[in-house]
Amino acid sequence: MSYIASRMSRVQVSPTMAVTDKARAMKAAGMDVIGLGAGEPDFDTPEFIKEAAIKAMRDGKTKYPPVPGIPELREAACRKLKRENGLDYTPDQIQIGVGGKQIIFNAMMATLNPGDEVIVPAPYWVSYTDIAAFAEGTPVVIECRQENNFKLSPEQLEAAITPKTKWLFLNSPSNPTGAAYSRSELKALTDVLMRHPQVLIFADDIYEHITYDDFEFATLAQVEPGLYDRTLTMNGVYGAGPKELIQAMNVIQSQSVSGAASISQWASVAALDGDTSFIAEHNKVFKDRRDIVVGMLNQANGIDCATPEGAFYVYPSCAGLIGKTTEAGKVLGSDEDFAAALLEQEGVAVVFGAAFGLSPHFRISYAYATEDLEEACRRIQRFCGSLK
Ligand code: GLU
């Protein structure tokens, strides 16, 4: 009999982390692998943010921080929300986490009763459904297909809401598609949500600053002030929401990690308050990479890649390749087969679409060096061309 808890049947290893670790291990073993799995910018952390971390250490700020986060960072988050999103928050409405994942974890653990439904538009970031299920919620997945720009329609949302709906996850710009909702698209969704007061909204704004071609970012609580009292806005280091929710999340945090590392928190104060001009410079590079990757993928046999509005991901369809046979004689029955064969034959690591709840697709993160992306796309073209 296994000693592993039955709750473990509700979670699997994060596929994004698994692909990243696999590519890293293959590289360490001397194999020629280009890993495009993890979504993590290749740019170095700006010097002034590193300096703030070093200063915090020198000043002895190396002890337990307050559970919800140091007041200076919660105040900086309030200033950011006011300045950039026109939203008023007080520090007791802010929780600092060790990252977005932990804010999600705290929120789900603090609110879900067994059987509560959590609406997750697919393709979704891999961890929403697993964390909701781990916290005994029931993920309700709605497929948002490429022909609808991977976006949730008001009709789909209305049809998915039941008296048991507790949360809606909305991530814009999206991981894994890069699709971003305009203000009017968000308004159409908030009109539906206003009719269902039992629904809390988890607005994952982590890619807020990475948008292209004059796209104007907006967030849900800003688009519909009537939803302010039931929205948790998450942006990497913080979650901002109703006081009662944040208090409950702080209880979970106090019994798990105690708080985010003090040194990182001081670095984050500098990041939120400091000069953000580096973002525009990074975005120029990301946009060039996006255009290269989309162009080259669309030249590959059987691949259809949309041009996203933001983030640093593309989510091409590989429908045209399903049923084909590789040089090694393997029939590609799914996007998981596609990703496995691509890694084996050409040494390119991507994340298969089933992990994000919409197939047959795969995700490429283009937060990698441009030369690596070009080489990876050449290999993908060669791989697709070799299929029979
Ligand atoms: N943003 C990253 C990704 O989706 C982080 C990896 C993860 O935590 O899933 O690839």
Side-chain angles (χ1 to χ4, degrees):
M1 216 178 88
S2 170
Y3 51 76
I4 299 298
S6 53
R7 78 173 69 83
M8 291 301 290
S9 65
R10 301 198 294 266
V11 275
Q12 54 168 352
V13 173
S14 160
T16 46
M17 304 312 273
V19 169
T20 309
D21 286 350
K22 184 162 185 195
R24 198 180 284 142
M26 288 171 80
K27 252 190 245 174
M31 295 165 87
D32 173 19
V33 170
I34 305 176
L36 307 179
E40 180 175 29
D42 56 327
F43 303 116
D44 198 10
T45 302
E47 224 32 59
F48 74 94
I49 300 174
K50 287 183 185 175
E51 284 303 328
I54 294 165
K55 183 171 183 316
M57 283 190 270
R58 294 225 162 93
D59 292 349
K61 289 169 174 159
T62 55
K63 312 286 188 189
Y64 287 124
V67 167
I70 57 172
E72 290 82 352
L73 182 51
R74 284 182 289 137
E75 282 157 16
C78 294
R79 283 192 292 276
K80 183 266 171 219
L81 284 155
K82 181 71 185 165
R83 186 175 67 239
E84 297 185 350
N85 310 109
L87 290 169
D88 286 302
Y89 284 92
T90 51
D92 54 1
Q93 291 179 284
I94 307 286
Q95 179 180 71
I96 306 301
V98 299
K101 231 176 227 169
Q102 196 207 348
I103 301 285
I104 301 171
F105 220 93
N106 291 343
M108 296 302 116
M109 291 300 279
T111 57
L112 291 177
N113 291 314
D116 281 351
E117 294 173 0
V118 178
I119 297 178
V120 186
Y124 48 76
W125 180 51
V126 295
S127 292
Y128 297 147
T129 45
D130 275 34
I131 296 176
F134 190 77
E136 298 188 80
T138 304
V140 174
V141 172
I142 312 177
E143 285 201 351
C144 305
R145 311 204 64 86
Q146 182 164 336
E147 52 268 32
N148 300 324
N149 302 316
F150 301 115
K151 287 179 194 170
L152 176 67
S153 71
E155 295 76 22
Q156 282 178 304
L157 176 60
E158 183 72 64
I161 294 175
T162 75
K164 284 185 153 181
T165 306
K166 190 71 160 269
W167 284 97
L168 162 70
F169 271 99
L170 207 81
N171 175 215
S172 168
S174 146
N175 177 357
T177 64
Y181 291 80
S182 68
R183 185 176 278 269
S184 62
E185 285 166 338
L186 288 178
K187 185 75 180 74
L189 296 177
T190 63
D191 286 349
V192 174
L193 291 163
M194 285 302 285
R195 293 197 286 274
H196 301 278
Q198 80 279 22
V199 183
L200 297 165
I201 300 111
F202 194 107
D204 181 348
D205 288 2
I206 201 157
Y207 298 106
E208 166 175 8
H209 289 288
I210 308 175
T211 60
Y212 312 110
D213 310 319
D214 302 324
F215 178 86
E216 274 189 37
F217 174 86
T219 191
L220 271 164
Q222 172 191 29
V223 169
E224 177 47 81
L227 293 176
Y228 174 88
D229 287 332
R230 49 187 171 108
T231 300
L232 180 63
T233 302
M234 186 275 276
N235 205 330
V237 292
Y238 67 80
K243 223 184 278 184
E244 187 191 2
L245 172 62
I246 296 294
Q247 271 167 4
M249 289 166 60
N250 286 337
V251 174
I252 303 288
Q253 178 141 297
S254 78
Q255 293 289 15
S256 54
V257 294
S258 297
S262 56
I263 299 159
S264 307
Q265 293 202 44
W266 283 103
S268 301
V269 172
L272 285 185
D273 280 342
D275 174 14
T276 53
S277 55
F278 68 92
I279 297 176
E281 287 162 33
H282 291 180
N283 282 355
K284 257 190 241 153
V285 179
F286 280 144
K287 182 186 173 333
D288 286 346
R289 290 176 182 172
R290 177 198 68 170
D291 293 341
I292 290 168
V293 168
V294 170
M296 288 184 78
L297 288 174
N298 279 324
Q299 282 164 21
N301 278 346
I303 302 276
D304 177 16
C305 185
T307 303
E309 293 101 337
F312 37 65
Y313 305 104
V314 287
Y315 198 63
S317 163
C318 54
L321 302 174
I322 300 302
K324 296 206 171 191
T325 307
T326 68
E327 281 174 350
K330 169 108 186 85
V331 179
L332 301 182
S334 64
D335 51 28
E336 192 163 2
D337 290 347
F338 167 84
L342 177 64
L343 182 59
E344 195 175 310
Q345 194 170 315
E346 291 287 354
V348 177
V350 300
V351 189
F352 59 94
F356 305 95
L358 189 78
S359 292
H361 285 263
F362 60 99
R363 187 190 81 172
I364 284 184
S365 160
Y366 53 87
Y368 290 94
T370 308
E371 312 79 73
D372 286 348
L373 291 166
E374 285 170 339
E375 174 59 15
C377 288
R378 273 192 292 274
R379 293 185 190 188
I380 292 171
Q381 288 175 350
R382 193 163 64 204
F383 174 73
C384 295
S386 75
L387 298 171
K388 298 267 160 20

PDB file of all heavy atoms in Angstrom, residues 14 16-17 37-39 101 125-126 175 207 313 363, ligand 1:
ATOM      1  N   SER A  14       4.027  19.988 -12.421  1.00  0.00           N
ATOM      2  CA  SER A  14       3.762  21.055 -13.381  1.00  0.00           C
ATOM      3  C   SER A  14       4.476  20.736 -14.704  1.00  0.00           C
ATOM      4  O   SER A  14       5.703  20.597 -14.728  1.00  0.00           O
ATOM      5  CB  SER A  14       4.274  22.379 -12.817  1.00  0.00           C
ATOM      6  OG  SER A  14       4.444  23.301 -13.861  1.00  0.00           O
ATOM      7  N   THR A  16       5.148  22.534 -17.252  1.00  0.00           N
ATOM      8  CA  THR A  16       6.119  23.545 -17.692  1.00  0.00           C
ATOM      9  C   THR A  16       7.448  23.344 -16.968  1.00  0.00           C
ATOM     10  O   THR A  16       8.524  23.439 -17.559  1.00  0.00           O
ATOM     11  CB  THR A  16       5.587  24.966 -17.413  1.00  0.00           C
ATOM     12  OG1 THR A  16       5.069  25.004 -16.081  1.00  0.00           O
ATOM     13  CG2 THR A  16       4.510  25.350 -18.383  1.00  0.00           C
ATOM     14  N   MET A  17       7.358  23.035 -15.674  1.00  0.00           N
ATOM     15  CA  MET A  17       8.572  22.799 -14.902  1.00  0.00           C
ATOM     16  C   MET A  17       9.222  21.482 -15.357  1.00  0.00           C
ATOM     17  O   MET A  17      10.448  21.388 -15.442  1.00  0.00           O
ATOM     18  CB  MET A  17       8.270  22.716 -13.396  1.00  0.00           C
ATOM     19  CG  MET A  17       7.562  23.938 -12.817  1.00  0.00           C
ATOM     20  SD  MET A  17       8.284  25.521 -13.272  1.00  0.00           S
ATOM     21  CE  MET A  17       9.500  25.737 -12.029  1.00  0.00           C
ATOM     22  N   GLY A  37      10.874  25.671 -23.182  1.00  0.00           N
ATOM     23  CA  GLY A  37       9.793  25.273 -22.283  1.00  0.00           C
ATOM     24  C   GLY A  37       9.389  26.365 -21.314  1.00  0.00           C
ATOM     25  O   GLY A  37       8.254  26.833 -21.335  1.00  0.00           O
ATOM     26  N   ALA A  38      10.318  26.787 -20.485  1.00  0.00           N
ATOM     27  CA  ALA A  38       9.941  27.716 -19.412  1.00  0.00           C
ATOM     28  C   ALA A  38       9.715  29.114 -19.938  1.00  0.00           C
ATOM     29  O   ALA A  38      10.425  29.586 -20.818  1.00  0.00           O
ATOM     30  CB  ALA A  38      11.030  27.756 -18.357  1.00  0.00           C
ATOM     31  N   GLY A  39       8.725  29.772 -19.378  1.00  0.00           N
ATOM     32  CA  GLY A  39       8.493  31.169 -19.693  1.00  0.00           C
ATOM     33  C   GLY A  39       9.191  32.022 -18.669  1.00  0.00           C
ATOM     34  O   GLY A  39       8.603  32.361 -17.644  1.00  0.00           O
ATOM     35  N   LYS A 101       2.149  31.879  -8.123  1.00  0.00           N
ATOM     36  CA  LYS A 101       1.624  30.557  -7.792  1.00  0.00           C
ATOM     37  C   LYS A 101       1.151  30.509  -6.334  1.00  0.00           C
ATOM     38  O   LYS A 101       0.143  29.909  -6.010  1.00  0.00           O
ATOM     39  CB  LYS A 101       2.745  29.539  -7.975  1.00  0.00           C
ATOM     40  CG  LYS A 101       2.384  28.342  -8.817  1.00  0.00           C
ATOM     41  CD  LYS A 101       3.625  27.478  -8.991  1.00  0.00           C
ATOM     42  CE  LYS A 101       3.785  27.073 -10.438  1.00  0.00           C
ATOM     43  NZ  LYS A 101       5.062  26.458 -10.734  1.00  0.00           N
ATOM     44  N   TRP A 125      -3.070  28.468 -18.060  1.00  0.00           N
ATOM     45  CA  TRP A 125      -1.766  28.186 -17.459  1.00  0.00           C
ATOM     46  C   TRP A 125      -1.907  26.913 -16.613  1.00  0.00           C
ATOM     47  O   TRP A 125      -2.878  26.751 -15.873  1.00  0.00           O
ATOM     48  CB  TRP A 125      -1.300  29.373 -16.612  1.00  0.00           C
ATOM     49  CG  TRP A 125       0.025  29.124 -15.983  1.00  0.00           C
ATOM     50  CD1 TRP A 125       1.161  28.692 -16.609  1.00  0.00           C
ATOM     51  CD2 TRP A 125       0.354  29.235 -14.614  1.00  0.00           C
ATOM     52  NE1 TRP A 125       2.177  28.551 -15.701  1.00  0.00           N
ATOM     53  CE2 TRP A 125       1.706  28.879 -14.466  1.00  0.00           C
ATOM     54  CE3 TRP A 125      -0.364  29.627 -13.480  1.00  0.00           C
ATOM     55  CZ2 TRP A 125       2.366  28.888 -13.250  1.00  0.00           C
ATOM     56  CZ3 TRP A 125       0.284  29.643 -12.261  1.00  0.00           C
ATOM     57  CH2 TRP A 125       1.635  29.272 -12.155  1.00  0.00           C
ATOM     58  N   VAL A 126      -0.936  26.042 -16.735  1.00  0.00           N
ATOM     59  CA  VAL A 126      -1.043  24.668 -16.229  1.00  0.00           C
ATOM     60  C   VAL A 126      -1.410  24.531 -14.753  1.00  0.00           C
ATOM     61  O   VAL A 126      -1.962  23.503 -14.346  1.00  0.00           O
ATOM     62  CB  VAL A 126       0.279  23.898 -16.467  1.00  0.00           C
ATOM     63  CG1 VAL A 126       0.533  23.737 -17.947  1.00  0.00           C
ATOM     64  CG2 VAL A 126       1.475  24.597 -15.816  1.00  0.00           C
ATOM     65  N   ASN A 175      -0.956  33.277 -20.706  1.00  0.00           N
ATOM     66  CA  ASN A 175      -0.028  32.163 -20.803  1.00  0.00           C
ATOM     67  C   ASN A 175      -0.929  30.951 -20.974  1.00  0.00           C
ATOM     68  O   ASN A 175      -1.742  30.703 -20.076  1.00  0.00           O
ATOM     69  CB  ASN A 175       0.759  32.069 -19.477  1.00  0.00           C
ATOM     70  CG  ASN A 175       1.716  30.901 -19.433  1.00  0.00           C
ATOM     71  OD1 ASN A 175       1.769  30.108 -20.352  1.00  0.00           O
ATOM     72  ND2 ASN A 175       2.458  30.788 -18.335  1.00  0.00           N
ATOM     73  N   TYR A 207       1.357  39.412 -16.930  1.00  0.00           N
ATOM     74  CA  TYR A 207       2.012  39.890 -18.172  1.00  0.00           C
ATOM     75  C   TYR A 207       1.545  41.291 -18.576  1.00  0.00           C
ATOM     76  O   TYR A 207       1.725  41.696 -19.732  1.00  0.00           O
ATOM     77  CB  TYR A 207       1.774  38.882 -19.316  1.00  0.00           C
ATOM     78  CG  TYR A 207       2.379  37.532 -18.992  1.00  0.00           C
ATOM     79  CD1 TYR A 207       1.573  36.455 -18.629  1.00  0.00           C
ATOM     80  CD2 TYR A 207       3.760  37.347 -19.001  1.00  0.00           C
ATOM     81  CE1 TYR A 207       2.129  35.228 -18.285  1.00  0.00           C
ATOM     82  CE2 TYR A 207       4.319  36.128 -18.652  1.00  0.00           C
ATOM     83  CZ  TYR A 207       3.501  35.082 -18.299  1.00  0.00           C
ATOM     84  OH  TYR A 207       4.067  33.883 -17.952  1.00  0.00           O
ATOM     85  N   TYR A 313       4.734  34.176 -25.377  1.00  0.00           N
ATOM     86  CA  TYR A 313       4.407  32.813 -25.806  1.00  0.00           C
ATOM     87  C   TYR A 313       3.684  32.840 -27.146  1.00  0.00           C
ATOM     88  O   TYR A 313       2.949  33.790 -27.444  1.00  0.00           O
ATOM     89  CB  TYR A 313       3.457  32.142 -24.804  1.00  0.00           C
ATOM     90  CG  TYR A 313       3.966  32.129 -23.392  1.00  0.00           C
ATOM     91  CD1 TYR A 313       3.437  33.015 -22.440  1.00  0.00           C
ATOM     92  CD2 TYR A 313       4.958  31.245 -22.993  1.00  0.00           C
ATOM     93  CE1 TYR A 313       3.909  33.016 -21.133  1.00  0.00           C
ATOM     94  CE2 TYR A 313       5.427  31.242 -21.681  1.00  0.00           C
ATOM     95  CZ  TYR A 313       4.896  32.127 -20.755  1.00  0.00           C
ATOM     96  OH  TYR A 313       5.349  32.127 -19.467  1.00  0.00           O
ATOM     97  N   ARG A 363       3.178  24.922 -26.977  1.00  0.00           N
ATOM     98  CA  ARG A 363       3.573  26.264 -26.565  1.00  0.00           C
ATOM     99  C   ARG A 363       5.064  26.456 -26.731  1.00  0.00           C
ATOM    100  O   ARG A 363       5.857  25.598 -26.357  1.00  0.00           O
ATOM    101  CB  ARG A 363       3.215  26.512 -25.101  1.00  0.00           C
ATOM    102  CG  ARG A 363       3.475  27.980 -24.683  1.00  0.00           C
ATOM    103  CD  ARG A 363       3.369  28.186 -23.183  1.00  0.00           C
ATOM    104  NE  ARG A 363       4.583  27.794 -22.492  1.00  0.00           N
ATOM    105  CZ  ARG A 363       4.835  28.011 -21.202  1.00  0.00           C
ATOM    106  NH1 ARG A 363       3.914  28.617 -20.465  1.00  0.00           N
ATOM    107  NH2 ARG A 363       5.957  27.623 -20.659  1.00  0.00           N
TER     108      ARG A 363
HETATM  109  N1  GLU B   1       5.764  31.380 -16.326  1.00  0.00           N
HETATM  110  C1  GLU B   1       6.421  30.147 -16.440  1.00  0.00           C
HETATM  111  C2  GLU B   1       5.755  29.188 -17.392  1.00  0.00           C
HETATM  112  O1  GLU B   1       4.566  29.081 -17.501  1.00  0.00           O
HETATM  113  C3  GLU B   1       6.815  29.572 -15.154  1.00  0.00           C
HETATM  114  C4  GLU B   1       6.866  28.104 -15.021  1.00  0.00           C
HETATM  115  C5  GLU B   1       5.734  27.668 -14.160  1.00  0.00           C
HETATM  116  O2  GLU B   1       5.776  27.959 -12.960  1.00  0.00           O
HETATM  117  O3  GLU B   1       4.806  27.102 -14.714  1.00  0.00           O
HETATM  118  O4  GLU B   1       6.481  28.558 -18.096  1.00  0.00           O
END
